[in-house]
Amino acid sequence: MNTPSTEDTLLLYGQAFASRLLLGTSRYPSPTVLQAAVERAQPAMLTASLRRQNLSPGEAAPNHFWAMLREMNIPVLPNTAGCHSMQEAITTAHMAREVFATPWLKLELIGDDYTLQPDTLNLVEAASRLIKDGFKVLPYCTEDLVLCQRLVDVGCQAIMPWAAPIGTGKGPINPYALRTLRERLSVPMLVDAGLGLPSHACQVMEWGFDGVLLNTAVAQALDPVRMAGAFANAVQAGRAAFLAGAMPEHHSAQPSTPVLGTPFWHQT
């Protein structure tokens, strides 16, 4: 991976990334549209599920998807999507490391098929084992403060709390918990899942989150390429607003022009 030279870079496990947007690679209308969306967004990483790969290089059907990802020259973040047990996730992670030749991993351990909520009871132990095995783990988790703290305690140098259940596009459904999480933990945090609009991405970036990961909101848009650009701009705008520092809120109106020196008959 190349090291960007710009000052405000996303740092994950000591690695710098110029973009704060990560993009998924599933559910696009076609590979051509996916490629165009990636070119427009210029994401830091592309997530890819091992389950989409033909594992054996000797298989009759060539792995066009993997070849396409390599041609795009964007770092790949393998994920363990669809894993429902700790052992299944760990086994998939090791296979993904061999297939994609990278220690990076988005750890998904699903605990409920209806909400696709992470298995919060086993996620920490799975992350701990994978980190000991040399992985750079980015765990997909809820916004639960205690869970996230435990993930940091076992060595996760970044975490990925959801904004809402995967694929819902609802945006942040628990702003209080997300903002509390941001205030209490100092590790990089990327909001993953549940974002549907560029304004959602801008909002969480304004709150101080370090990046976002998107898939469905872009892939299922009427124009995925244009939406990819809209999200990329929103992430940058939100980050700029966070760095600029927003004005404090007031309960009552505040004059935008000072009244000192204004004739009394002009004052109300």
Side-chain angles (χ1 to χ4, degrees):
M1 296 182 183
N2 298 325
T3 301
S5 58
T6 52
E7 293 182 0
D8 182 40
T9 54
L10 172 64
L11 283 175
L12 301 173
Y13 287 88
Q15 173 70 45
F17 299 89
S19 173
R20 294 178 177 274
L21 172 64
L22 283 65
L23 209 56
T25 56
S26 65
R27 305 186 69 184
Y28 284 82
S30 70
T32 301
V33 173
L34 166 60
Q35 285 180 294
V38 170
E39 185 174 349
R40 177 70 69 88
Q42 290 296 303
M45 286 194 277
L46 294 172
T47 62
S49 171
L50 180 68
R51 293 166 185 257
R52 297 186 62 177
Q53 310 306 311
N54 296 328
L55 299 180
S56 172
E59 289 185 8
N63 193 333
H64 294 300
F65 179 73
W66 177 219
M68 182 185 68
L69 290 185
R70 285 189 293 186
E71 288 175 1
M72 287 191 279
N73 199 29
I74 302 289
V76 173
L77 176 64
N79 69 47
T80 57
C83 292
H84 288 73
S85 73
M86 188 190 316
Q87 190 54 53
E88 184 183 16
I90 291 173
T91 300
T92 302
H94 281 271
M95 294 172 67
R97 182 161 61 182
E98 293 188 17
V99 171
F100 294 102
T102 176
W104 290 90
L105 180 75
K106 177 189 171 186
L107 175 59
E108 285 190 36
L109 181 54
I110 301 301
D112 179 71
D113 280 333
Y114 183 73
T115 62
L116 298 179
Q117 181 171 336
D119 180 349
T120 56
L121 299 181
N122 292 299
L123 185 62
V124 174
E125 179 61 22
S128 176
R129 292 190 189 184
L130 288 167
I131 288 171
K132 290 175 181 174
D133 288 342
F135 286 92
K136 298 178 179 179
V137 178
L138 301 175
Y140 162 61
C141 54
T142 66
E143 73 279 59
D144 184 274
L145 174 60
V146 176
L147 167 65
C148 293
Q149 181 64 67
R150 296 294 180 270
L151 288 168
V152 174
D153 291 344
V154 298
C156 292
Q157 297 183 24
I159 57 175
M160 305 181 77
W162 71 357
I166 294 174
T168 61
K170 290 180 176 294
I173 58 175
N174 195 340
Y176 174 80
L178 274 176
R179 300 188 73 167
T180 300
L181 187 62
R182 178 66 286 178
E183 293 171 3
R184 293 290 301 278
L185 301 187
S186 59
V187 297
M189 285 188 271
L190 298 91
V191 175
D192 177 17
L195 300 180
L197 296 170
S199 58
H200 297 156
C202 188
Q203 185 170 52
V204 297
M205 295 299 294
E206 288 172 356
W207 292 344
F209 284 89
D210 299 277
V212 302
L213 193 159
L214 303 161
N215 192 109
T216 308
V218 174
Q220 297 291 289
L222 291 178
D223 186 341
V225 178
R226 179 172 291 185
M227 187 62 81
F231 267 105
N233 292 337
V235 168
Q236 291 180 1
R239 178 65 180 177
F242 170 72
L243 294 176
M247 61 164 281
E249 290 186 10
H250 300 287
H251 292 294
S252 59
Q254 303 288 320
S256 57
T257 302
V259 296
L260 184 64
T262 302
F264 68 90
W265 58 86
H266 286 175
Q267 299 181 20
T268 58

